[in-house]
Amino acid sequence: MLDMNTLLGIVALASLSSHVISGQQCECPASMCPDGWVTFRGSCYYVSDNVSVDWTEATHHCTAHHAELITIQNADEDKFIRSLLERYYRTGGQHPGQEFWIGANDLMIEGVWEWYTDNSSLEYSGWYPGQPGSEGDEDCAVIASRSDVFNGWHDAPCAAKHHPICEISPRQTIDQIIG
Ligand SMILES: *[C@@H]1O[C@H](CO)[C@@H](O)[C@H](O)[C@H]1NC(C)=O
Ligand SMILES: *[C@@H]1O[C@H](CO)[C@@H](O)[C@H](O)[C@H]1NC(C)=O
Ligand SMILES: [Ca+2]
Ligand SMILES: [Ca+2]
């Protein structure tokens, strides 16, 4: 059971970190993210463009970086991450057809897409028109480049090899701070 000092400590820690974790308002300082990660609205992101793994390995890859495979909660985050990928294209000279894993799948119930981090349903989704397009054998989601731009999500076979995008979300930051 918590004594008063412990409780006050938790409250103090929570308020101390509130400028970090009020992610929807602030563009948080890049110093809060690990080197090489990009910050947007309180989350940190890393595009593992030199790693090609299946969807489950992609989740493990992000866990190894103390992160999660990206969850995209709204249109702003989707737009941000697509423009981040566009930047990789311009600087890296990569080709259309690249696909990047995101943390959504319909492995539990065909056609019912969830974020693997908490099994929540997709309140926002950025499917390309006609997607998700395949029943049964395509149960994991990617952001894909078509016609030179990253213009939507597609369902893909979970065993395919694609690049992970990892995210450290404000929620994880809270978990780490208050343990
Ligand atoms: C990918 O690039 C990162 C950053 O340069 C590096 O730390 C990592 O070892 C590379 N991974 C592979 C599989 O080459
Ligand atoms: C999601 O649901 C599965 C199946 O019920 C369960 O094994 C898993 O622990 C759940 N994951 C989370 C993060 O709640
Ligand atoms: Ca997110
Ligand atoms: Ca499916």
Side-chain angles (χ1 to χ4, degrees):
M1 158 152 186
L2 293 175
D3 66 22
M4 187 51 81
N5 282 339
T6 310
L7 200 59
L8 286 173
I10 290 171
V11 170
L13 269 176
S15 58
L16 191 68
S17 58
S18 63
H19 67 288
V20 176
I21 61 184
S22 58
Q24 296 314 304
Q25 283 82 41
C26 74
E27 179 94 9
C28 294
S31 61
M32 298 305 300
C33 294
D35 279 355
W37 293 57
V38 182
T39 185
F40 180 72
R41 295 195 173 174
S43 278
C44 305
Y45 301 91
Y46 184 74
V47 178
S48 292
D49 63 332
N50 61 346
V51 169
S52 287
V53 291
D54 69 31
W55 186 88
T56 301
E57 289 166 337
T59 66
H60 296 156
H61 175 81
C62 292
T63 303
H65 285 89
H66 309 289
E68 293 169 333
L69 198 55
I70 185 174
T71 60
I72 301 172
Q73 274 82 14
N74 53 58
D76 285 349
E77 189 177 16
D78 201 10
K79 194 172 158 200
F80 165 77
I81 209 69
R82 292 186 201 188
S83 67
L84 183 64
L85 293 174
E86 303 291 346
R87 264 185 273 162
Y88 272 83
Y89 263 65
R90 282 202 293 275
T91 58
Q94 296 169 337
H95 298 287
Q98 295 278 14
E99 311 204 352
F100 291 82
W101 288 126
I102 65 175
N105 66 59
D106 73 337
L107 288 164
M108 290 286 295
I109 303 170
E110 175 58 31
V112 178
W113 287 81
E114 297 179 339
W115 295 116
Y116 85 108
T117 49
D118 61 0
N119 291 339
S120 63
S121 60
L122 274 48
E123 284 176 25
Y124 167 84
S125 64
W127 297 113
Y128 189 73
Q131 301 289 323
S134 184
E135 285 173 10
D137 58 343
E138 299 195 345
D139 294 341
C140 291
V142 292
I143 299 183
S145 164
R146 298 285 185 270
S147 318
D148 269 335
V149 287
F150 286 93
N151 48 10
W153 307 359
H154 296 248
D155 54 346
C158 300
K161 307 274 172 136
H162 299 304
H163 313 300
I165 304 171
C166 302
E167 175 182 4
I168 301 169
S169 69
R171 176 180 52 72
Q172 281 178 277
T173 311
I174 296 168
D175 289 347
Q176 280 159 18
I177 288 168
I178 63 179

